[in-house]
Amino acid sequence: TLKQDKEIVLSSENIMTRPIPKSMVIIGAGVIGCEFASIYANFGETEVRVIEKSDRILSTEDQDVAMFVQKLLEKKGVIFHHQSSLKEASVEDGRIKYSLTHNISGEVTDHFVDKALVSIGRVPYYDDLNITSLPEVTLVGGRLKRDEFHRINPYSHIYACGDVTTNIALVNVGEMEGRACVDHMYCSKPEADIVPDFDNLSTIMFLDQEVAAVGLNEQQCQKRCIAYKMARYGYEFVSRAVAMNNTRGFVKLIVTNDRKMQVLGVRAIGPHASSIVELASLAIHNKESAYKLEELLTAYPAVTQGFLECLRMLLGSSVLKPNVFPELVVSEWHPPEFNRGRAYQVKKTRK
């Protein structure tokens, strides 16, 4: 196990204070690992390697998003150790020596780099609060057990939010929870209105190309047995992106596969991606139909035009025919054998 020493074995808290290394290995290919891989690859002075146990990066995102990001990083020279587990690592003569075991072949290989970045294993930070010394305070998976109003069980006057809990380790979530705590303390409105709702929480990844998301993705829909339709619209057909000479990206929209076509989620990669997903945020929260969103009138030329055309592809009103070009895709998914009932699907999912 690598122990952080803030000199050779680093974390996201201290890596930016150290000189740029000639080579480094990043343990974990989640959001933080990929962001730092992108940062140091763009510097052009560091050979970057990333260790990932699975067969792809960003395991919580859909395959198309993950592979698109991976290809962008590989073009920058990032090396990925896929399906590999860290067998052992040590500091030798001021460098990191690490051994990897391939999860399929069992082959063991040795590697040497100047620095290591640990980007996995984030835990809540409450050491200095002495909160765990209180009677009956319960930890669940290393996290403080809270009620729906963020009070620490069993106390009604102690609230916890942000880095103390890391329910969702994002700044905007910490702020929302903090506001909810103060509202519950002092506001006389109904308690049910105080509980934060994260169904339309937007997230952003700062990579070589901006990656933004809101709502459900495809694999989340499939896990919940939600039939859906998906449209993906490439930046190659967005006039503003062409004018910017940056067509690396796409807009992806997911709706329910029924007459309502309720908006479930949006993914965007490329310039102004975070602005694109916000177009659907309120519609997701209000469970609105894609037909309602079609009333949007976007500026021209703007990257938001890509979102509107993606929406029109789903509704069959786009001037471009889907599935003719690889960058313009419309597909749908149904839970297999759903005619046997939801209980059967849940049973299959648990296996």
Side-chain angles (χ1 to χ4, degrees):
T1 302
L2 280 175
K3 186 176 180 180
Q4 296 180 31
D5 58 13
K6 300 182 181 181
E7 291 291 336
I8 298 175
V9 183
L10 307 165
S11 72
S12 59
E13 294 180 359
N14 47 51
I15 188 172
M16 301 300 285
T17 65
R18 312 307 305 160
I20 298 175
K22 291 183 178 179
S23 61
M24 67 182 300
V25 62
I26 299 175
I27 303 170
V31 174
I32 295 175
C34 288
E35 285 181 335
F36 276 99
S38 179
I39 290 169
Y40 281 88
N42 282 329
F43 286 157
E45 300 181 17
T46 306
E47 179 188 88
V48 181
R49 305 176 187 180
V50 181
I51 302 173
E52 174 55 42
K53 285 186 177 181
S54 64
D55 59 351
R56 65 177 178 89
I57 65 174
L58 300 174
S59 59
T60 58
E61 266 303 337
D62 288 333
Q63 180 83 5
D64 54 357
V65 174
M67 292 309 299
F68 196 97
V69 172
Q70 181 175 315
K71 289 177 181 178
L72 289 176
L73 291 173
E74 287 176 335
K75 286 181 180 179
K76 292 286 184 178
V78 177
I79 300 170
F80 289 96
H81 298 299
H82 285 302
Q83 294 184 328
S84 298
S85 299
L86 185 64
K87 182 181 179 182
E88 58 183 352
S90 59
V91 178
E92 297 184 6
D93 298 325
R95 302 189 77 206
I96 293 286
K97 176 186 177 182
Y98 65 96
S99 301
L100 297 177
T101 302
H102 196 273
N103 296 338
I104 297 177
S105 67
E107 179 185 5
V108 178
T109 55
D110 294 331
H111 308 267
F112 291 88
V113 290
D114 293 329
K115 306 288 183 183
L117 170 65
V118 180
S119 66
I120 57 174
R122 282 185 174 266
V123 295
Y125 184 78
Y126 46 75
D127 293 350
D128 296 337
L129 300 177
N130 204 28
I131 195 74
T132 54
S133 64
L134 291 173
E136 300 183 62
V137 168
T138 305
L139 297 178
V140 179
R143 290 172 167 79
L144 294 168
K145 187 176 180 180
R146 304 179 298 169
D147 64 14
E148 67 271 32
F149 305 113
H150 310 308
R151 296 175 298 189
I152 298 175
N153 292 340
Y155 300 95
S156 61
H157 65 292
I158 303 177
Y159 295 76
C161 61
D163 289 347
V164 175
T165 60
T166 64
N167 177 34
I168 304 174
L170 296 171
V171 172
N172 50 345
V173 172
E175 180 185 352
M176 284 181 65
E177 289 186 345
R179 288 177 176 272
C181 290
V182 175
D183 284 347
H184 191 260
M185 293 175 194
Y186 299 109
C187 291
S188 57
K189 58 186 178 183
E191 284 189 320
D193 295 342
I194 297 174
V195 179
D197 190 349
F198 299 119
D199 59 351
N200 64 331
L201 174 67
S202 299
T203 60
I204 183 171
M205 291 178 258
F206 296 97
L207 305 172
D208 187 51
Q209 291 294 314
E210 189 177 327
V211 181
V214 64
L216 301 177
N217 58 28
E218 289 189 73
Q219 62 184 20
Q220 288 172 324
C221 289
Q222 292 176 12
K223 188 175 182 180
R224 301 184 189 188
C225 296
I226 300 173
Y228 65 85
K229 290 186 71 174
M230 180 278 294
R232 187 170 62 243
Y233 192 92
Y235 267 40
E236 293 87 349
F237 295 89
V238 179
S239 300
R240 179 65 175 271
V242 173
M244 294 169 65
N245 195 29
N246 187 353
T247 57
R248 295 172 296 168
F250 60 79
V251 182
K252 177 179 176 180
L253 180 60
I254 302 171
V255 300
T256 56
N257 196 357
D258 54 18
R259 285 182 293 181
K260 181 181 179 181
M261 297 183 72
Q262 178 182 322
V263 182
L264 297 174
V266 179
R267 297 297 183 271
I269 301 177
H272 304 181
S274 56
S275 300
I276 290 175
V277 300
E278 296 298 345
L279 293 173
S281 178
L282 192 59
I284 293 171
H285 181 69
N286 293 334
K287 298 178 173 56
E288 290 181 356
S289 166
Y291 292 102
K292 183 70 174 177
L293 265 184
E294 196 183 19
E295 297 174 8
L296 280 171
L297 293 176
T298 59
Y300 182 89
V303 291
T304 50
Q305 179 192 3
F307 173 85
L308 186 56
E309 285 301 321
C310 185
L311 180 66
R312 287 169 175 165
M313 280 205 314
L314 273 176
L315 300 177
S317 58
S318 175
V319 295
L320 296 172
K321 188 175 181 179
N323 301 321
V324 172
F325 299 97
E327 299 85 7
L328 304 174
V329 178
V330 172
S331 64
E332 58 184 58
W333 181 86
H334 294 271
E337 302 181 73
F338 199 78
N339 58 324
R340 298 186 64 176
R342 187 175 300 276
Y344 175 73
Q345 290 295 320
V346 173
K347 183 178 179 181
K348 279 184 64 179
T349 304
R350 288 174 179 169
K351 286 183 177 180

